[in-house]
């Protein structure tokens, strides 16, 4: 006799968190109906996240948007069936309506930033995440690679991506003008 395990939805996970079945302090993502527990980050990933966030917050304030850290959960995918927690996220003023108090955000952020850890490399990893974010409304996805000190910028509607080395600047002109930062500023010395 086969045992069938039902697939979870983001709303099941919210209910489980409210009932105490899932520790809300523990980081996880919901992928294909299953909870994937996330391990704590190792240096330099948390430092890179803080450096990017420090650059992103003033920009978000000037455009009336919000910046989230990795504890912000977003429903992504073509049916919003996945829960992802980008390392850094930016939601513009025009899309603040998707923000929910006490629940996961009902779409993906305008910008999702993934700071790659040692087990998150390869085109398959990036393709899966970008397609989920873009299906739920993201405009840009960054993959920040500390090993090569680069940022791979994926834009919605474009099949290719651009990789920026530490010596070049990235912008968010596709979202709103005013953000420019040299990639080297995202990495500790």
């Amino acid at each position: 006799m086969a045992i069938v395990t039902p697939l979870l939805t983001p709303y099941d996970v919210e209910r489980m968190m409210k009932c105490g079945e899932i520790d809300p302090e523990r980081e996880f993502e919901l992928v294909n109906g299953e909870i994937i527990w996330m391990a704590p980050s190792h240096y330099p990933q948390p430092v890179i996240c803080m450096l990017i966030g420090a650059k992103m917050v003033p920009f978000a304030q000037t455009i009336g948007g919000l910046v989230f850290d990795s504890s912000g959960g977003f429903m992504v995918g073509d049916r919003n069936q996945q829960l992802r927690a980008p390392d850094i996220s930016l939601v513009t003023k025009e899309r603040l309506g998707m923000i929910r108090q006490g629940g996961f955000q009902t779409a993906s952020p305008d910008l999702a930033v993934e700071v790659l850890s040692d087990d998150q490399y390869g085109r398959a990893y990036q393709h899966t995440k970008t397609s989920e974010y873009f299906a739920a409304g993201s405009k840009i996805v960054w993959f920040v690679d500390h090993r090569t000190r680069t940022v791979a910028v994926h834009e919605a509607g474009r099949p290719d991506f651009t990789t920026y080395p530490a010596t070049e600047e990235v912008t968010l002109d596709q979202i709103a003008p005013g953000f420019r930062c040299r990639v080297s500023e995202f990495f500790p010395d």
Side-chain angles (χ1 to χ4, degrees):
M1 173 183 208
I3 298 174
V4 178
T5 304
L7 299 178
L8 298 172
T9 69
Y11 298 105
D12 294 328
V13 173
E14 283 182 344
R15 180 189 48 75
M16 293 167 75
M17 289 174 74
K18 288 177 183 165
C19 294
E21 296 177 52
I22 296 175
D23 180 358
E25 299 300 315
R26 188 142 178 234
E27 290 195 21
F28 65 90
E29 292 184 332
L30 180 67
V31 181
N32 299 325
E34 295 184 26
I35 293 174
I36 307 297
W37 299 104
M38 310 302 279
S41 300
H42 298 286
Y43 180 84
Q45 187 181 12
V47 173
I48 294 169
C49 291
M50 293 300 293
L51 291 169
I52 294 170
K55 297 290 184 184
M56 203 64 61
V57 168
F59 173 69
Q61 291 172 332
T62 64
I63 65 169
L66 290 175
V67 173
F68 290 79
D69 66 9
S70 63
S71 62
F74 294 86
M75 294 181 199
V76 302
D78 56 357
R79 295 181 320 280
N80 287 2
Q81 76 281 16
Q82 314 281 47
L83 284 177
R84 294 291 189 178
D87 293 308
I88 302 290
S89 306
L90 170 68
V91 177
T92 59
K93 181 179 179 179
E94 295 76 22
R95 296 186 66 229
L96 290 178
M98 73 160 176
I99 306 298
R100 296 172 57 217
Q101 283 284 77
F104 300 114
Q105 310 326 311
T106 59
S108 60
D110 294 280
L111 168 68
V113 179
E114 296 284 350
V115 178
L116 299 173
S117 62
D118 291 335
D119 61 346
Q120 296 175 321
Y121 290 99
R123 299 278 292 196
Y125 176 82
Q126 292 185 16
H127 177 73
T128 299
K129 289 253 180 149
T130 55
S131 63
E132 289 176 3
Y133 289 134
F134 291 153
S138 286
K139 296 176 184 157
I140 302 172
V141 180
W142 287 356
F143 290 95
V144 180
D145 186 340
H146 72 90
R147 295 179 312 172
T148 59
R149 296 176 61 92
T150 60
V151 175
V153 177
H154 298 253
E155 295 179 40
R158 294 190 58 194
D160 56 343
F161 63 93
T162 305
T163 301
Y164 293 89
T167 56
E168 293 187 22
E169 287 186 329
V170 290
T171 71
L172 291 174
D173 290 343
Q174 308 89 323
I175 292 175
F179 182 87
R180 300 188 81 71
C181 188
R182 187 171 302 279
V183 170
S184 62
E185 294 181 55
F186 296 156
F187 301 101
D189 292 331

